[in-house]
Amino acid sequence: MRFAALLLACGAVALGGTMAEARLVAPEVSDLAITQDGFPRTLDEYGFFIHADVQIPTADVMPYELNTPLYSDGADKLRFIYVPDGETIKANADGLLQFPVGSAIIKTFAFGEGSDRRLIETRVLLNRADGWLALPYRWNEEQTEARLALAGGRIPIITPAGEEISYRIPNKNQCKACHSLDDAVLPIGPKARNLAPELLELLSEQGKLDAVPDVSRPMPRWSDANAAKEPLARAYLDVNCAHCHRPGGGASNSGLDLRWEQDAPFARGVNKPPVAAGRGAGGLLVSIEPGDPDASILVHRMNSNEPGVAMPELGRSTIDEEAVALMRDWIAEMGN
Amino acid sequence: MIRISFAAVLLASAAPALAETHTVSPGDGAQERLQEALILAEPGDTIMLEAGRYTLTDGLSLDVEGVTIRGAGMDGTVLDFTTQEGSGEGLLVTSDNVTLRDFALENPKGDGIKSKGADNIVYYRVRVTWTNGPDPSNGAYAIYPVESTGVLVDGVKVTGASDAGIYVGQSNRITVRNSIAEANVAGIEIENSRNALVEHNIATRNTGGILVFDLPGLPVMGGGNVVIANNLVVANDTANFAPPGNIVAGVRRGTGIMVMANESVLIEDNIIDENPTAPIMVIAFTQQFEDERYNPLARNIVIGENLYGRGGDDPQLEGAEMLMAAFGGSLPPVMWDGLGSLYAVADTAGWTLNLPEPGKGVAGASPAPLSVPEPDGEFDRSGIGAPPELEERI
């Protein structure tokens, strides 16, 4: 469905005049832009897209989706990976795929449907010889170019839920705030357990993945109305929170560990008092009070938009109502 | 001669030879200009913040080693976060060997300056103020180094934090000195940290002046080796305004110096006056915990010579009237729960709850005048305080 819309949009561009014709010459991905020092000033320099404005990737760049995605004010997110020719991703059981140097992970944030859709920003993760680098690119009004926005920025947006917000494009350091483990920058999205088996198989067939990992505990699909509450809630917390709330993560000092693989209830917040939550605790005593969502700090902080209270601290300006409802149901269910 | 020693200094310096100074001024686009300078800085560089008021809408962050952020004085350069729309703190530092000096933050929505995993950090003449005074809607911590080795806090001023003004957590080799903590819930708090020196500070009009805590269930455990000396701990009489649920929400108004569940803490040469609950309090952690690594008792706590003024005359304690009557009108300066181990120099006036065991409330208490041994030998100060090389940056 989405792909059909993209093709239509692509056709419109192709008919749009000589400029568009000129841009139909398929670019190749610039390995140099990914791997050499410095920060390319525009997204075009990478050559990830045939038509960046409608997000048609070049042949070597593969779109993908996550079972349970990270919430970003309801933004439509278009995800792509690039692996240089002759190189292979290594599968790591349920966990994060190990990308070779020269790889890139690309994510474009868009709001609006159909022809009203506007690209806001494209974030790239580049795997260089000295580690991953995260950079944000901001789209211009005309949607012709995305330029490096090291310091981030704010843009007025109307979310799919109809809320008018000041959308935050993260600065380079804020990228790292989420993409950081033991001081190193890492991807957080492409974990085998959160990817469709079909994608893993396709990558493997193409020789881009060394083997299809035998995922022991795949995450449920967020859109699956029949999924049980517990795995869905746990998957949401892993994807949205555990990049900080884990050992070695940005919020490690809280002692709260929200990873999918954390099996100890206390570490996950059950009956766990806050440490440095300040007013974020909202007068509540524990992160999760089984059976009582209203007494659970986790729900309180997910249900707030106020800086200093809201969790996650970065990456959202609106409340994920659907997720709050899920957490409430899950915590209520624990009391049974 | 002069030339030779200058060259020697250059050689000894860890900073790259081409360290640069980047000047940022207030005004339009300050958020982007300042943040971009923080991102593009190279190790050894200085970000110079010209005098004036910077209106900021988002948290700032620094992730480059060896950078100095320097303003035109803690009343001259003001980073104003009153209209902050995002982030959990005003400034976040995640790189080592950073120096923060001579500027102020006002009204950050969450914490003021947080430095996490940022070793050998210097906070010098930095001010963090919530300008409306004590208020539960203020941010939690003003100065907040955590999970770091080597922390020097000198000459800072913090006002209005709804948790702790200066909070050092899960860290090692710490000095907090020459600073003023006023009208916070906790003035200065050392938590789950080792080898901390807290000296020559003023803690006033907080709920509690200086706190040394160890809490269970954290990545870094086992706080201890702390010296609290030569501080002025006066009139900590602000009603507790911490949001309920925080550990400091349990601190009683009028607590001067409080040690909870820690080991080897020396308290001496302080002036402690007008703290109506207790000039000094030494107690065990009373809540339930499951952490096998945790010792809830205060052990080897040493009370040296201190100058005690008025205090213990309006204690927020159960049965306060009876207790005060029993002790002749006000409670003696040192309050102990009777658990763990406490030493005090001769003639230290105090009282003990004589609790039989921890975690059972005050049910079994049998209050009595304090009678504890004198310190057995010198307190071991080796390794306490920030590494001396941090001094060279101020």
Side-chain angles (χ1 to χ4, degrees), chain B residues 53-56 79-85 106-109 131:
Chain B
R53 184 166 285 267
Y54 296 67
T55 301
L56 299 165
L79 307 180
D80 185 347
F81 288 92
T82 307
T83 57
Q84 186 179 357
E85 295 180 62
E106 290 186 0
N107 302 324
K109 295 294 190 220
T131 53

Side-chain angles (χ1 to χ4, degrees), chain B residues 159-233:
Chain B
T159 306
S162 69
D163 196 309
I166 299 168
Y167 170 97
V168 185
Q170 302 181 50
S171 293
N172 194 359
R173 304 291 312 264
I174 303 145
T175 296
V176 178
R177 69 185 183 204
N178 307 331
S179 296
I180 300 174
E182 181 171 15
N184 311 283
V185 174
I188 299 168
E189 184 173 350
I190 307 292
E191 189 172 280
N192 289 54
S193 291
R194 290 199 83 78
N195 300 313
L197 173 61
V198 180
E199 63 174 3
H200 299 288
N201 302 286
I202 298 174
T204 188
R205 300 230 177 271
N206 306 287
T207 302
I210 300 173
L211 275 44
V212 183
F213 282 10
D214 205 16
L215 297 179
L218 297 184
V220 179
M221 296 291 298
N225 289 1
V226 179
V227 172
I228 302 174
N230 294 298
N231 299 284
L232 197 54
V233 185

